[in-house]
Amino acid sequence: MRRAASLIVGLAALVSPLAAADASAGNPNLFGINMSKSGDSLSVPLQIVLLLTILTLLPAVVMTITPFLRITIVLHFLRQALGTQSTPSNQVLLGLALFLTILIIHPVAMDMYHQGWEPLQRNELSASEAFDAAAKPLKAFLIRFAREKDVQLFLEVSHARVPRTPDDLSLRVIIPAYILSELKAGFQIGAVLFLPFLIIDLVVASVTLSIGMIQLPPIMISAPFKILLFVLADGWNLVLGSLMKGFYA
């Protein structure tokens, strides 16, 4: 239970520097908002509205700056290549992608929790210092998969100075570069997955056309062969195993 809570805290720390706020006992803060009943700066209803607004950004964080992005793209292409329409369903694919994402991102979230949130709770770091400390593990993870070409693009767009080392890059440059890199990686893997199933479709289409079965859609004949090939090759193990190894390499 504690690991799950630390994972949520680590992901929440990605949303805004407000997540690294003062957590002293005399002034209870949460995400940089004074949550005491006698709030000095904001009323309690407004504090709750701001907190809920910040929390609404968590799904966008999970879907874009985690392995969830690449995994969902690959699973979508795989289902299209198999031609099984809505099987597995979207809920199943998203649930599978979410749990695989938690497995991959858990060490990063734990590092963020230990380096940023725990020192903040012990009043060893200020809010900005805790955010910078928590961002280091995230930067190290994102830089591993962000292409240099994409990083250079967003450096030019944002008119930011070229850093001396990759560690000096800011999150506002690394995050969009990572998203763009993951989109390309997901589409590349999806294209490769399509090839063997495309060959089966071409063979079946040519055979049905040669024997005069024009009115019968070739997809109805090729679908069982594609599923059989995927099952015999233990496709789920190969695809998901390769995805996981790609992030751990």
Side-chain angles (χ1 to χ4, degrees), residues 23-242:
S24 59
N27 184 19
N29 291 338
L30 184 60
F31 294 96
I33 300 173
N34 187 0
M35 297 303 293
S36 62
K37 293 183 179 180
S38 59
D40 298 331
S41 57
L42 297 175
S43 62
V44 174
L46 184 56
Q47 294 172 15
I48 296 175
V49 170
L50 292 176
L51 177 59
L52 293 177
T53 302
I54 294 174
L55 292 178
T56 56
L57 297 177
L58 279 177
V61 171
V62 173
M63 289 187 294
T64 55
I65 61 175
T66 64
F68 186 87
L69 177 60
R70 184 194 299 187
I71 295 173
T72 51
I73 292 175
V74 172
L75 293 179
H76 171 75
F77 274 111
L78 177 60
R79 187 174 65 179
Q80 293 295 321
L82 286 171
T84 54
Q85 302 301 323
S86 59
T87 304
S89 63
N90 291 331
Q91 291 82 354
V92 172
L93 294 183
L94 292 177
L96 176 61
L98 179 61
F99 282 105
L100 293 178
T101 300
I102 293 175
L103 179 62
I104 297 172
I105 207 67
H106 181 264
V108 180
M110 290 296 295
D111 288 341
M112 296 175 64
Y113 177 78
H114 293 313
Q115 296 183 26
W117 189 264
E118 287 184 343
L120 181 66
Q121 288 182 319
R122 296 192 296 264
N123 295 326
E124 297 176 357
L125 297 176
S126 64
S128 60
E129 291 174 345
F131 178 78
D132 292 337
K136 290 181 180 179
L138 177 63
K139 285 184 180 180
F141 175 80
L142 298 180
I143 290 174
R144 287 174 53 196
F145 305 101
R147 298 185 306 161
E148 183 178 352
K149 183 178 180 181
D150 297 328
V151 173
Q152 183 64 33
L153 170 64
F154 289 103
L155 282 174
E156 296 175 356
V157 171
S158 62
H159 302 288
R161 295 181 180 179
V162 178
R164 296 181 180 178
T165 62
D167 295 334
D168 296 333
L169 288 168
S170 64
L171 287 176
R172 66 190 181 98
V173 172
I174 300 177
I175 289 177
Y178 169 81
I179 295 173
L180 193 59
S181 301
E182 286 297 281
L183 286 174
K184 180 178 181 180
F187 274 79
Q188 287 177 335
I189 298 173
V192 174
L193 286 175
F194 251 103
L195 292 178
F197 301 108
L198 179 61
I199 294 175
I200 294 178
D201 286 334
L202 291 175
V203 172
V204 171
S206 62
V207 171
T208 55
L209 184 61
S210 63
I211 61 179
M213 299 175 62
I214 301 176
Q215 296 182 351
L216 182 64
I219 188 65
M220 295 184 61
I221 302 177
S222 62
F225 289 101
K226 291 191 290 186
I227 296 174
L228 182 61
L229 174 65
F230 188 72
V231 172
L232 292 178
D234 198 5
W236 288 113
N237 184 281
L238 291 175
V239 173
L240 297 182
S242 299

